[in-house]
Amino acid sequence: MPIQQIFEGKINNMQIIDKDGNVDELLDPKLPKDLLLKMYIYMVLTRTFDQKCMNLQRQGRVLTYAPSLGQEAAQIGSVATLEDKDWIFPSYREHATYLWRGIEMSQLMTYWIGSELGMKIPEGKNNFLVSIPIASQALHAVGAAWAAKLRGDKVVTIGYFGDGATSEGEFHEAMNFAGVYQAPCVLFCQNNQWAISTARKKQTATTSIAQKALAYGVKGIQVDGNDVLAVYKATKEAVDNARNGGGPTLIEAVTFRRGPHTTADDPTKYRKEDEVKYWEERDPIRRFTVYLKKANYLNDELEKKILDRSVEEVEKAILEAEATKMDNPEDMFNYAFGTMPVYLQEQKNELMEYLRSKKV
Amino acid sequence: MAKLNLVQAINTAFMQEMEKNDKIVVMGEDVGVDGGVFRVTEGLLAKFGPNRVFDTPLAESGILGTAIGMAVYGLRPIVEFQFEGFSFPAYDGVLNHLARIRNRSRGRYTCPVMIRSPYGGGVRALEHHSEAPETLYSHIPGLVVVIPSTPYDAKGLIASLMDGSDPSYFFEPKRLYRAFKQEVPEERYTVPIGKARMVREGKDVSIITYGAMVRVCEEAADSLMQKGINCEIIDLRTISPMDTDAIITTVKKTGRCVIVHEAPRSFGTAAEIIARINEKALMDLKAPVKRVTGYDVTTPLPKLEDFFFPDAGRVMKAVEETMSF
Ligand SMILES: Cc1ncc(C[n+]2csc(CCOP(=O)(O)OP(=O)(O)O)c2C)c(N)n1
Ligand SMILES: [Mg+2]
């Protein structure tokens, strides 16, 4: 037989709660009420945080900010599957993952106010730093997972990135290393349809991002990224599988960036209102609300209470963040090296002397 | 003549050059429909169409690598990296290929790719958006590195790059993008590569600088004038190849020199200028040459950035110390 088929691949898409809140009973992971409510609370909290940061940016109290509006289910559904010992490697848009993983909201705001202190992750929290160079963190996530495997730790890592990131070489290298070393990690792509003004269709000629997994010997699945249960179920399976020696998974969460890319961006230049409306109708929080109410885990009163509490918490956080003593000028020198070279000490002295001379 | 800011001058230059030469193509992330995040390439897609202006996939090494192939084939790509801090995925391509094609082929092939990025600090941005990495590029043999400080120069320098056959990196000081307007001729003109500009003549001390620091130095020079110190200011415009003549001439004239750039100090442009002064004008110096630069640290986030970038006060202090040496 001179011609034989040597490979065949298929990729599934999973949805559990549809856009109107109807649930697929067979697929429903039937999570405990406490966990479901906690996920709901953090989704609402993230959205409240997001709106606040957008408003504060307009007032000049927050710098450039990358909103996560519309992506709450993708972020919470995935991060909720982790244990404390696991690691996250976010990009710049994963506010929900930091909040879920115990970063104080006031500290997170400190970062978006423009201080390095915002990324001084508290001891004992396995959260890696905001990574702005696109796709870089995917490799870091793979490396940490590989290290965990080498050390015999049952630790899993998640690397978060966007649809645009899948064009960078680093994404492909991350996939390949993950496959070759069977690193216990999840490569989690939030396909929010846009990389600034560049549509997903212009990034890749493939029908899905998930299918790229097959070429690297990595498992792949596409989920409705606005369905928190589908995201949870797919990620939990991937995390459990990685923890038990089953290797990496690429998850494509299909979602939508409803806000601008950042506060510096004007999306009316490149996309139509219709598209935004289409995705508003697929809002992740609304459909989860319907699901929780049907299950009798949530009622109007509790819904309002959760929202009010979120608003309070966000207001408190911004006041705290603004009251935080930000870095001193010396701090920009203090973390350059483990031991400060003499010439750098001289530069520091030069600046401090200059600042004193300006005061008099 | 129209009064244009830096964004408009660069945009006009591209319009004109692309009209003149149909081999010029523009490629990068968000340069088409969006017109670039600073709107520098605004209107190019509408005017020249999707076979001249490309919203590429998000991959700097991919953009640069394919631009090299295009250039070798005969096109003239203008490549945008969205911010200077995101140029590094392509650094291998610049260092190991782009800048070496002429030499590797003993002149048989040239690779006239023009890379461009917003450059430098002062706009209160996130990490990697306020960098001054010119040294990392001017250290590469065969690569022209240009940093304009005025709309007029920007347009003329682009025309020269388009006439030349060298690969180049054109850094656009983002804090100057909309800082001021200047008369810019509508007709095509060139500003030579490798030639510094005399910003103002003076007799007491030479300030050598470039990019957004030119304005900072002018501010310092105005204040120093009131104290009776008469500064000469030289704007390098091209970092590599560097205009050694202009440097030596001014240092021989004043005998005193302060060099100002926003990039970190060690191994920087100022260090190179001082080395050239040592080689050719050491005996003309009346005082040691001073450097006013960014510090040898990671560019800080906005809460601390004002402490990092040189300001007029720091320039004045250095000039006064030089004068009283
Ligand atoms: C290496 C690199 N190139 C360019 C940029 C500028 N940039 C910031 S975000 C972005 C688009 C990212 O799109 P995607 O990966 O889909 O993530 P999203 O922003 O949609 O979450 C670009 C081009 C960058 N941060 N890093
Ligand atoms: Mg995206």
Side-chain angles (χ1 to χ4, degrees):
Chain A
M1 254 209 322
I3 296 177
Q4 291 174 31
Q5 182 174 352
I6 56 156
F7 176 79
E8 186 180 57
K10 87 175 165 27
I11 287 291
N12 292 325
N13 173 293
M14 176 163 64
Q15 183 192 58
I16 298 176
I17 320 176
D18 74 10
K19 76 180 194 1
D20 302 314
N22 304 309
V23 64
D24 185 314
E25 291 293 342
L26 288 175
L27 288 175
D28 187 348
K30 309 244 163 32
L31 300 179
K33 177 183 170 187
D34 286 356
L35 178 59
L36 287 168
L37 278 179
K38 186 178 170 196
M39 286 161 67
Y40 177 77
I41 288 168
Y42 273 85
M43 285 167 71
V44 173
L45 188 63
T46 303
R47 185 167 291 188
T48 315
F49 170 82
D50 218 61
Q51 278 162 352
K52 186 72 188 176
C53 287
M54 293 297 284
N55 289 337
L56 290 172
Q57 197 278 338
R58 275 180 219 118
Q59 299 166 27
R61 288 159 73 190
V62 156
L63 298 160
T64 313
Y65 174 77
S68 59
L69 175 65
Q71 298 180 219
E72 298 87 353
Q75 297 183 9
I76 291 295
S78 54
V79 77
T81 63
L82 296 181
E83 297 176 17
D84 286 347
K85 66 181 179 189
D86 297 332
W87 280 78
I88 57 166
F89 289 78
S91 74
Y92 42 80
R93 207 183 291 286
E94 282 73 55
H95 316 299
T97 66
Y98 282 123
L99 295 174
W100 181 274
R101 301 269 301 175
I103 299 299
E104 291 292 335
M105 188 183 282
S106 55
Q107 185 182 357
L108 192 56
M109 274 182 167
T110 307
Y111 179 77
W112 294 100
I113 285 176
S115 164
E116 281 82 355
L117 285 177
M119 280 296 118
K120 189 170 179 181
I121 304 293
E123 282 292 330
K125 302 242 179 266
N126 296 338
N127 303 328
F128 204 51
L129 314 174
V130 163
S131 191
I132 295 178
I134 299 297
S136 50
Q137 70 280 10
L139 275 165
H140 308 159
V142 172
W146 182 12
K149 184 176 172 181
L150 292 174
R151 306 301 293 175
D153 300 333
K154 289 211 155 222
V155 165
V156 176
T157 70
I158 299 193
Y160 287 96
F161 49 88
D163 44 309
T166 65
S167 294
E168 288 280 8
E170 281 149 302
F171 163 76
H172 296 272
E173 293 170 32
M175 292 290 289
N176 194 41
F177 272 66
V180 168
Y181 293 106
Q182 288 296 293
C185 62
V186 177
L187 292 161
F188 194 93
C189 177
Q190 289 176 81
N191 169 8
N192 63 6
Q193 312 305 326
W194 291 94
I196 310 187
S197 74
T198 306
R200 145 66 186 89
K201 276 207 293 289
K202 288 191 190 170
Q203 292 294 347
T204 171
T206 58
T207 350
S208 74
I209 284 166
Q211 75 198 69
K212 293 175 192 288
L214 303 177
Y216 295 101
V218 169
K219 284 172 283 299
I221 183 170
Q222 185 186 67
V223 296
D224 181 338
N226 285 7
D227 167 2
V228 70
L229 293 188
V231 175
Y232 183 93
K233 190 179 167 82
T235 314
K236 184 76 166 79
E237 273 170 28
V239 165
D240 288 349
N241 186 56
R243 206 182 303 284
N244 297 323
T249 305
L250 170 67
I251 297 178
E252 175 188 3
V254 180
T255 179
F256 190 71
R257 190 200 82 213
R258 267 160 53 194
H261 168 66
T262 65
T263 43
D265 173 47
D266 171 16
T268 61
K269 275 210 85 171
Y270 52 80
R271 72 183 188 192
K272 297 214 171 67
E273 218 14 68
D274 291 0
E275 193 188 349
V276 181
K277 213 168 151 271
Y278 174 90
W279 286 96
E280 271 168 17
E281 285 159 11
R282 283 152 186 79
D283 182 65
I285 295 184
R286 182 161 12 82
R287 73 171 89 167
F288 194 29
T289 309
V290 174
Y291 171 88
L292 292 173
K293 282 183 176 170
K294 273 189 198 153
N296 275 327
Y297 294 160
L298 186 71
N299 54 34
D300 292 351
E301 195 188 336
L302 183 56
E303 185 183 357
K304 183 168 180 313
K305 204 164 120 192
I306 288 171
L307 183 61
D308 290 348
R309 271 221 205 116
S310 299
V311 174
E312 263 169 50
E313 197 174 328
V314 172
E315 292 299 333
K316 202 169 127 245
I318 182 66
L319 292 180
E320 259 176 57
E322 288 182 332
T324 304
K325 170 115 186 46
M326 295 295 173
D327 316 59
N328 299 308
E330 296 116 281
D331 287 334
M332 73 184 177
F333 299 93
N334 292 344
Y335 304 96
F337 291 102
T339 308
M340 193 178 297
V342 174
Y343 68 85
L344 197 56
Q345 183 65 49
E346 285 168 5
Q347 291 182 18
K348 179 169 150 180
N349 295 346
E350 176 193 307
L351 172 64
M352 298 322 287
E353 193 201 311
Y354 171 62
L355 294 177
R356 275 192 299 274
S357 76
K358 273 215 313 198
K359 269 198 200 125
V360 291
Chain B
M1 253 196 299
K3 282 200 140 201
L4 304 181
N5 64 27
L6 186 61
V7 168
Q8 294 164 327
I10 297 170
N11 182 267
T12 312
F14 290 154
M15 288 278 181
Q16 215 164 55
E17 296 302 320
M18 288 178 80
E19 195 130 39
K20 177 168 174 278
N21 183 351
D22 69 1
K23 295 202 171 112
I24 298 176
V25 295
V26 167
M27 51 202 290
E29 295 150 17
D30 308 292
V31 296
V33 180
D34 205 35
V37 294
F38 288 99
R39 305 291 180 252
V40 173
T41 54
E42 178 98 56
L44 296 180
L45 176 65
K47 179 138 191 230
F48 298 102
N51 285 329
R52 302 273 310 271
V53 181
F54 306 100
D55 275 324
T56 65
L58 205 178
E60 291 75 12
S61 69
I63 298 168
L64 194 265
T66 54
I68 290 174
M70 284 189 176
V72 166
Y73 194 83
L75 298 186
R76 289 196 76 107
I78 297 175
V79 159
E80 171 176 310
F81 295 139
Q82 199 163 79
F83 283 88
E84 70 288 33
F86 304 132
S87 63
F88 301 110
Y91 195 73
D92 173 59
V94 178
L95 173 70
N96 281 331
H97 301 288
L98 180 66
R100 296 179 182 221
I101 301 290
R102 185 196 297 278
N103 179 67
R104 192 183 290 154
S105 67
R106 280 297 177 261
R108 169 65 182 82
Y109 294 116
T110 57
C111 214
V113 174
M114 173 187 172
I115 307 171
R116 46 168 294 269
S117 293
Y119 157 90
V123 298
R124 306 240 178 277
L126 299 171
E127 197 184 349
H128 316 288
H129 294 71
S130 304
E131 317 284 305
E134 64 272 24
T135 294
L136 297 171
Y137 287 98
S138 44
H139 200 64
I140 300 177
L143 184 74
V144 171
V145 178
V146 175
I147 310 182
S149 71
T150 67
Y152 178 92
D153 279 355
K155 187 179 170 197
L157 286 162
I158 288 170
S160 289
L161 289 173
M162 291 300 122
D163 288 345
S165 59
D166 290 316
S168 58
Y169 206 138
F170 188 82
F171 287 111
E172 302 163 8
K174 55 181 93 78
R175 81 163 96 170
L176 299 183
Y177 266 152
R178 295 184 166 80
F180 67 101
K181 289 191 172 183
Q182 187 186 26
E183 299 279 353
V184 175
E186 263 141 54
E187 63 276 17
R188 189 176 195 268
Y189 62 92
T190 58
V191 168
I193 302 298
K195 285 270 169 275
R197 172 175 71 103
M198 177 67 72
V199 179
R200 71 169 70 173
E201 297 199 39
K203 60 177 178 46
D204 296 329
V205 53
S206 304
I207 303 178
I208 301 173
T209 187
Y210 52 90
M213 290 299 115
V214 172
R215 301 240 300 169
V216 172
C217 294
E218 288 186 271
E219 189 191 329
D222 288 344
S223 306
L224 286 163
M225 187 61 116
Q226 285 167 12
K227 296 184 169 187
I229 301 172
N230 187 351
C231 302
E232 179 147 301
I233 303 178
I234 305 284
D235 172 7
L236 282 182
R237 298 196 290 204
T238 306
I239 309 306
S240 178
M242 189 179 276
D243 188 351
T244 313
D245 262 6
I247 294 166
I248 300 308
T249 307
T250 185
V251 169
K252 287 197 172 197
K253 175 178 170 190
T254 65
R256 294 188 159 88
C257 183
V258 172
I259 306 162
V260 183
H261 58 62
E262 60 186 278
R265 184 168 306 173
S266 292
F267 317 102
T269 309
E272 178 56 34
I273 295 172
I274 291 171
R276 291 185 194 211
I277 294 172
N278 274 356
E279 285 160 4
K280 298 208 159 133
L282 183 63
M283 292 314 177
D284 297 282
L285 287 176
K286 298 177 193 150
V289 180
K290 286 232 163 234
R291 296 183 274 183
V292 182
T293 65
Y295 300 107
D296 288 328
V297 301
T298 301
T299 318
L301 293 186
K303 281 285 169 199
L304 293 183
E305 76 173 22
D306 289 343
F307 300 110
F308 175 83
F309 296 112
D311 58 17
R314 274 171 66 192
V315 176
M316 286 173 64
K317 188 162 173 270
V319 168
E320 285 171 329
E321 284 166 7
T322 306
M323 289 306 295
S324 61
F325 176 77

